[in-house]
Amino acid sequence: MTDRQDEVKINISTYQWSIRFFSTIKRLLSVNIKMHHDRGQVAEGEIFLFNHFARFETFIPQYLIYQETGAYCRSIAAAEFFTGDDTLSNYLRNVGAVPHNHPRLIAYLAEEILRGHKVVIFPEGGMVKDRRVQDKRGAYSIYSRSALERRKHHTGAAVLSLAVDILKQSIQLAFEQDNQPLIEHWMHRLEIATSQALLAAAERPSTIVPANITFYPMRVSDNLLHSVFELVNRGISRRLSEELLIEGNILLKNTDMDIHLGDILYSHKYWSWWVRPIVKQLIPQLQSLDELLDRHAPPRDFKHHLLNNRLRKNALRLRNDYMKAIYNQVTINLSHLAALIIYQLLENGQQAVDRGQFHRMLYLAVKSAQKLPKINLQRSLRDAGSYGELMFGRCAGLDQFFLTAAQLELIEHEGDHYLFMPKLCKEHEFDEIRLENMVEVYANEARPVVGLNEMIDDVINRAASTTPLELAAHLFDDERVAYRWDRASFSKPRHQELNSKETATRSAEPFLILPEQPNRLGIVLVHGFLASPAEVKPFADKLGHLGYAVIGPRLKGHGTSPWDLRERSWKEWLASVQRACHIMRQHCEDICLIGFSTGGALSLLQAAEQPDGLAGVVAISAPIKFRNKNMIFVPLVHHANRLVSWLRAYEGIMPFRPNDTEHPDINYTSMPVHALFELRLMVTQLVKRLPDVHCPALVIQGDEDPVVVPESANRVYEKISSKLKRLEFVHSQRHGILNENIDNTQGIIIQYLKALEANLTTPTQQAALPAIEPPLPI
């Protein structure tokens, strides 16, 4: 049994031209495509299954598979695209598409797999715009536009994989029995040149790779594609308008397209042990899969009938497993979690929620999701910099979610509450829901993920009772999450040449020391420029033994890669200190900021904000003026770098300069010029803000510091408005006086802390603080 379409081969020239064309188009679009896998799925997979939400995504899997393996893909497309010999139908055939009504679809694709081609299938059959695939009992089904009702998913992919397995068993048995006519038959039919190659193809496991495509964020605002089409074609249909709006935004506006490949499913595991002997008796006669797969032909005998029946039943089991796997591979993002919380609150009878309470629920949901096993989190939920300030209502993803909800008249802000509008619970037509209720689309997409709904229930129930200390623990965990994320982000191949020259070996992770019975005064201990928390960790340990709770934040860009620091601003460094202060305030009633060098300057800047609970500040070697006269040229080099990077595709005339550090096991040995520029901006801001420092202050400076001009300490001391302030000069020809404890620098600080803490417990005896000494002459 043959068919003309059966003989259509993939046109290699057309296929590769299409790959090059898509590569070019991809660079022009705003969709960021990333395929995630780490268990050999692309190389070992034969049949790849994807969910379907947008039209253009049907072209992407083949492109990505070819990029990684060089393998060509067959895919199944609607028969309506193959009517006649027009340009489109010929093109689709040339790039491997097969119409879904091909007379020997399963048998033909099975043979193509033996030939080394991979097969891409969208088992839902059509676009699932509402993302609704699971009912309240957990059963899977989707809406059929043709039948106007919900139906089960297709089993074609399962039947195909099981049929491939049968075909492979047949060929292997032919080799075992040295059945040369059958071997030659399959060599000729499959166009495989040698018997060794045929046997190798037959011995490959028959596999299915379930995968999920997730877009984030999804927008409903107008776009250029929709506007132009509407201008040219007045009165376009509601369905087409919806698709141009949603899918145009995916393509033309910054959107992440995450494709997660699930664990490989092996078809041979779906055959019962007692079926195999029957298969072995039948398959020596098998010269084509058509006779086995023909539903209308009567079975030759009972064994044939039994095998055919078992094939269909096993296909149902396999179908259920791969559909569950597909829907479990959703890439969970912030909008998913927010939507699930909203619908759970609605089910609980709430029509509104306090904004602060909602932000807390959402933050706790993020932290809980990070601990769920086998869950795919969108990169913004793995980067604490993206979600870390959720509890305070500051998050770009949250803003985007509520902007969309407000545009669709689903949620309104009223005072300190979010109001849930009746439209959230209204039924919408299949082709309208993406335009009318994107919140429900997000919720539908996330519901099948195992453990997620139970986690949301738990978060809602415990949000109000979560203590400040528990929240502080989550916030500190975010600091460690951010460190790991930043380190991984700047460990790509393009960073390796510079990174390989770095000599730092000490752990750069932020730290938190909490004694069993901490003193009233908590310490925020801030490291210096180009260093990491490792610079101040030995002193922190000493303070911990004295009963002080100590947090050592990692300034953004530090302790990872010089490339990371090159991307950061001084305001991000200050934000690191501010987060550390917030965490420590949950543990201790009062805090003291202690900072070395740039950390001292940042501590003073934070003190100038006069935050609640600030008992004092200690600034060690805080820079106002630098010894290196070349610092005056930093702005010039920085702007030249920016100009050159804009004009040409390389990193500027001097993006980094060597750093001759006192502590190569801690500090970067390559210094970004941009970071020096930010350092100058920070110092300029510090000079302006020094008069706003009113808390008790201790200023310490090495008298022969080779980095910071010692007069800097005098300027700090003179400009701050603190009534209780003290200036100490220690004798040192090195900059790192805190780390090396030169001239008892650490002892001076400890005595100051004891006096400061004593003053907190007996505020009426402020005069009992150590006498304020005048600055020493330089």
Side-chain angles (χ1 to χ4, degrees):
M1 184 175 183
T2 59
D3 187 274
R4 189 183 67 82
Q5 299 172 84
D6 196 6
E7 301 172 359
V8 175
K9 307 298 181 184
I10 292 176
N11 187 307
I12 304 302
S13 175
T14 303
Y15 202 104
Q16 292 185 343
W17 173 87
S18 299
I19 293 292
R20 291 193 297 271
F21 176 75
F22 187 80
S23 297
T24 302
I25 292 297
K26 178 174 173 286
R27 288 193 293 268
L28 299 176
L29 300 176
S30 295
V31 59
N32 310 309
I33 303 170
K34 187 170 181 61
M35 186 160 68
H36 308 267
H37 61 92
D38 58 4
R39 296 176 296 281
Q41 295 99 315
V42 180
E44 194 174 345
E46 292 182 338
I47 302 170
F48 293 80
L49 309 181
F50 298 87
N51 61 318
H52 194 14
F53 184 71
R55 292 190 184 279
F56 74 91
E57 70 191 6
T58 57
F59 298 98
I60 293 174
Q62 298 93 314
Y63 164 78
L64 296 176
I65 290 170
Y66 179 83
Q67 268 196 326
E68 290 208 21
T69 65
Y72 297 102
C73 293
R74 286 289 186 180
S75 60
I76 301 175
E80 62 193 73
F81 295 120
F82 295 87
T83 54
D85 285 328
D86 59 13
T87 303
L88 176 61
S89 61
N90 287 329
Y91 171 76
L92 289 175
R93 290 190 182 95
N94 286 337
V95 294
V98 182
H100 78 280
N101 64 348
H102 188 291
R104 11 182 351 259
L105 180 65
I106 300 297
Y108 177 51
L109 291 178
E111 293 170 1
E112 283 289 86
I113 288 172
L114 266 292
R115 294 183 183 111
H117 295 147
K118 298 181 185 294
V119 176
V120 171
I121 297 176
F122 294 85
E124 292 165 333
M127 285 194 292
V128 183
K129 296 182 177 183
D130 58 1
R131 298 288 205 188
R132 184 182 164 197
V133 296
Q134 192 177 49
D135 61 24
K136 292 185 177 180
R137 295 173 297 176
Y140 295 112
S141 63
I142 57 171
Y143 177 78
S144 168
R145 182 183 282 112
S146 58
L148 301 179
E149 63 181 9
R150 302 192 66 78
R151 61 163 174 80
K152 291 291 185 180
H153 299 89
H154 296 308
T155 59
V159 172
L160 171 59
S161 190
L162 293 169
V164 170
D165 197 53
I166 291 174
L167 177 55
K168 288 178 179 179
Q169 289 183 57
S170 174
I171 295 171
Q172 289 179 58
L173 188 63
F175 277 95
E176 289 175 16
Q177 298 175 345
D178 195 25
N179 188 336
Q180 289 300 321
L182 192 56
I183 292 172
E184 291 176 7
H185 163 78
W186 283 115
M187 287 174 58
H188 174 73
R189 187 177 185 90
L190 299 176
E191 299 174 305
I192 295 178
T194 67
S195 60
Q196 292 87 348
L198 176 64
L199 179 60
E203 289 178 337
R204 287 197 306 265
S206 302
T207 58
I208 286 180
V209 179
N212 188 285
I213 300 174
T214 316
F215 297 103
Y216 178 73
M218 293 184 283
R219 303 174 179 88
V220 295
S221 55
D222 205 356
N223 60 67
L224 181 63
L225 183 62
H226 177 266
S227 299
V228 170
F229 202 93
E230 195 171 51
L231 182 65
V232 175
N233 300 274
R234 297 287 184 183
I236 60 176
S237 69
R238 174 75 170 175
R239 176 178 168 184
L240 180 56
S241 177
E242 179 262 359
E243 291 178 4
L244 289 171
L245 274 174
I246 302 300
E247 298 173 37
N249 284 333
I250 290 174
L251 289 170
L252 302 177
K253 298 183 179 178
N254 191 27
T255 306
D256 288 335
M257 179 180 178
D258 288 289
I259 306 174
H260 269 96
L261 305 187
D263 291 333
I264 298 172
L265 299 177
Y266 295 92
S267 300
H268 68 84
K269 295 183 178 180
Y270 288 82
W271 293 111
S272 302
W273 66 269
W274 55 268
V275 175
R276 290 188 176 278
I278 298 175
V279 173
K280 212 165 186 178
Q281 292 181 44
L282 288 175
I283 55 180
Q285 311 164 32
L286 191 66
Q287 296 198 2
S288 168
L289 283 173
D290 299 276
E291 52 193 276
L292 177 66
L293 298 172
D294 189 351
R295 292 186 179 185
H296 305 292
R300 294 192 307 269
D301 51 34
F302 176 73
K303 292 178 182 177
H304 186 275
H305 172 76
L306 186 61
L307 178 60
N308 200 295
N309 178 267
R310 184 49 51 181
L311 173 65
R312 303 296 171 185
K313 288 189 175 181
N314 287 352
L316 291 174
R317 281 202 306 126
L318 181 53
R319 186 273 312 273
N320 292 342
D321 285 351
Y322 64 60
M323 293 313 304
K324 180 179 179 180
I326 286 175
Y327 295 133
N328 260 293
Q329 292 303 317
V330 171
T331 306
I332 296 298
N333 56 56
L334 192 72
S335 293
H336 288 134
L337 300 179
L340 288 175
I341 290 172
I342 288 168
Y343 276 101
Q344 186 57 54
L345 291 174
L346 284 167
E347 282 192 23
N348 295 345
Q350 287 187 231
Q351 300 301 315
V353 63
D354 177 79
R355 292 178 66 183
Q357 187 75 350
F358 182 82
H359 298 156
R360 175 179 288 203
M361 290 176 186
L362 189 53
Y363 175 74
L364 291 174
V366 172
K367 297 307 294 177
S368 297
Q370 290 175 346
K371 298 176 183 177
L372 284 179
K374 296 184 178 180
I375 186 172
N376 301 318
L377 294 183
Q378 208 270 342
R379 56 188 63 88
S380 62
L381 296 190
R382 293 183 285 117
D383 175 14
S386 296
Y387 69 80
E389 295 193 322
L390 259 176
M391 280 200 303
F392 315 109
R394 297 190 294 266
C395 174
L398 183 67
D399 293 342
Q400 176 66 49
F401 176 81
F402 279 118
L403 174 64
T404 300
Q407 288 174 337
L408 299 178
E409 300 179 342
L410 300 168
I411 300 173
E412 290 185 1
H413 299 185
E414 185 176 280
D416 294 330
H417 287 78
Y418 293 122
L419 305 183
F420 304 145
M421 299 292 101
K423 188 179 177 184
L424 277 167
C425 300
K426 182 182 176 182
E427 288 288 333
H428 293 96
E429 294 293 330
F430 181 78
D431 288 313
E432 293 182 346
I433 190 168
R434 294 196 297 186
L435 282 182
E436 298 295 340
N437 191 351
M438 192 64 79
V439 177
E440 185 176 5
V441 173
Y442 275 121
N444 288 343
E445 185 176 39
R447 283 193 180 103
V449 177
V450 173
L452 200 58
N453 296 293
E454 295 80 2
M455 181 272 285
I456 292 295
D457 288 343
D458 176 66
V459 161
I460 291 174
N461 291 332
R462 65 182 171 87
S465 60
T466 303
T467 67
L469 285 179
E470 290 172 331
L471 290 173
H474 287 309
L475 292 171
F476 180 68
D477 182 62
D478 283 342
E479 296 300 306
R480 293 184 295 189
V481 168
Y483 167 68
R484 293 191 292 269
W485 175 265
D486 292 347
R487 187 169 184 176
S489 298
F490 292 92
S491 297
K492 302 294 191 299
R494 66 179 291 259
H495 307 123
Q496 287 308 312
E497 182 179 357
L498 188 68
N499 290 350
S500 65
K501 299 175 183 177
E502 292 301 312
T503 59
T505 55
R506 301 271 295 277
S507 172
E509 279 208 33
F511 59 79
L512 178 61
I513 299 172
L514 296 173
E516 288 187 13
Q517 294 183 332
N519 301 341
R520 172 174 174 172
L521 188 65
I523 309 299
V524 178
L525 188 54
V526 189
H527 67 80
F529 185 61
L530 303 178
S532 76
E535 182 177 56
V536 293
K537 183 62 164 56
F539 183 47
D541 291 334
K542 184 181 293 187
L543 292 174
H545 287 128
L546 293 172
Y548 292 101
V550 188
I551 186 170
R554 180 186 66 91
L555 302 180
K556 261 303 190 183
H558 291 74
T560 52
S561 163
W563 287 103
D564 187 6
L565 185 57
R566 187 169 182 258
E567 301 296 318
R568 308 301 179 179
S569 71
W570 71 267
K571 291 182 179 179
E572 290 180 272
W573 306 341
L574 181 59
S576 301
V577 177
Q578 291 169 339
R579 289 193 301 271
C581 287
H582 180 80
I583 293 169
M584 185 52 65
R585 277 280 288 151
Q586 312 312 308
H587 292 281
C588 297
E589 189 175 348
D590 300 286
I591 63 172
C592 179
L593 286 156
I594 303 176
F596 168 71
S597 192
T598 295
L602 292 167
S603 296
L604 289 166
L605 278 166
Q606 175 63 3
E609 298 293 329
Q610 302 174 25
D612 292 339
L614 180 61
V617 60
V618 179
I620 308 136
S621 307
I624 298 295
K625 294 181 65 177
F626 296 91
R627 292 279 197 186
N628 192 334
K629 304 300 182 184
N630 290 330
M631 283 292 287
I632 63 174
F633 299 112
V634 166
L636 179 64
V637 176
H638 167 72
H639 290 300
N641 280 340
R642 292 189 63 183
L643 179 62
V644 172
S645 295
W646 179 66
L647 290 174
R648 300 181 62 180
Y650 68 96
E651 296 297 335
I653 59 175
M654 190 192 296
F656 300 94
R657 52 170 295 181
N659 175 41
D660 185 15
T661 173
E662 294 176 341
H663 304 115
D665 60 330
I666 294 173
N667 292 66
Y668 289 149
T669 56
S670 297
M671 181 169 24
V673 171
H674 172 75
L676 289 174
F677 178 72
E678 291 294 328
L679 184 61
R680 280 183 56 96
L681 293 178
M682 182 202 69
V683 170
T684 300
Q685 183 67 12
L686 173 62
V687 172
K688 295 178 182 178
R689 296 300 310 275
L690 283 174
D692 296 324
V693 177
H694 292 275
C695 67
L698 171 63
V699 181
I700 306 179
Q701 176 64 50
D703 59 0
E704 296 183 45
D705 191 325
V707 176
V708 174
V709 175
E711 186 186 351
S712 295
N714 285 328
R715 292 190 61 184
V716 170
Y717 177 83
E718 291 166 359
K719 284 184 171 291
I720 60 176
S721 301
S722 306
K723 293 180 179 178
L724 297 172
K725 57 183 177 179
R726 177 177 169 185
L727 177 61
E728 287 275 355
F729 280 91
V730 299
H731 180 62
S732 176
Q733 295 180 341
R734 290 173 67 80
H735 180 57
I737 58 175
L738 178 64
N739 176 270
E740 300 175 27
N741 194 23
I742 296 175
D743 202 12
N744 195 35
T745 297
Q746 295 180 7
I748 294 170
I749 298 171
I750 290 169
Q751 289 304 313
Y752 178 79
L753 292 177
K754 289 180 178 179
L756 192 62
E757 192 165 28
N759 185 58
L760 290 172
T761 56
T762 56
T764 58
Q765 301 178 13
Q766 284 193 355
L769 275 174
I772 301 170
E773 300 177 6
L776 298 176
I778 300 301

